Amino acid sequence: KAVVSTQSTGQELEYAGAYIKKAPNNESSWNYARGIITKNKMNYSDFPYIKELCTSLNEAHVPSPFLLHTLADINIEEGNHTAASNMFGTLQELDSIRKKYWEYRQNQLQTAA
């Protein structure tokens, strides 16, 4: 059961989105948005605003590992494992500190296929 209503969740995601736009490499805003969705047992597809924001930032070539992580999760949710796997590959180069984690996530997709 959701902790808050979809409307309240949408408002909170718009709030987080405003801060993501200001500082796309601030992990806190991304974690807040991700936490709202997962805590309420919802999907990114319930909030098209998040996908639109991520797509817009990605098209602007914003080099944010948090952006790519969110887009990969959206692609997994939509069943587009190839795109998600490609993003995990890019994350291995962009976010070398978490390289092994991104390899693990990529391998999970390949194992599931």
Side-chain angles (χ1 to χ4, degrees), residues 16-81:
Y19 284 92
I20 288 170
K21 285 180 191 175
K22 287 182 185 179
N25 282 305
N26 180 352
E27 187 173 9
S28 297
S29 301
W30 291 101
N31 286 341
Y32 184 69
R34 181 182 310 283
I36 289 169
I37 290 171
T38 57
K39 179 73 174 174
N40 288 294
K41 297 177 175 67
M42 295 178 174
N43 296 314
Y44 288 103
S45 60
D46 296 325
F47 306 97
Y49 167 76
I50 293 296
K51 182 176 180 180
E52 291 166 8
L53 171 63
C54 290
T55 301
S56 172
L57 291 172
N58 194 46
E59 287 173 353
H61 304 288
V62 173
S64 168
F66 315 113
L67 165 63
L68 291 179
H69 182 191
T70 303
L71 279 170
D73 285 346
I74 289 169
N75 277 296
I76 290 168
E77 186 180 293
E78 293 176 346
N80 190 348
H81 291 191

Side-chain angles (χ1 to χ4, degrees), residues 34 69 72-74 76 84-85 88 91-92 98-111:
R34 181 182 310 283
H69 182 191
D73 285 346
I74 289 169
I76 290 168
S85 181
F88 289 138
L91 280 163
Q92 291 170 39
R98 297 180 185 103
K99 181 179 181 178
K100 293 289 185 186
Y101 174 70
W102 301 126
E103 286 174 358
Y104 168 75
R105 292 289 308 268
Q106 190 175 43
N107 289 336
Q108 276 186 317
L109 287 176
Q110 293 168 352
T111 302

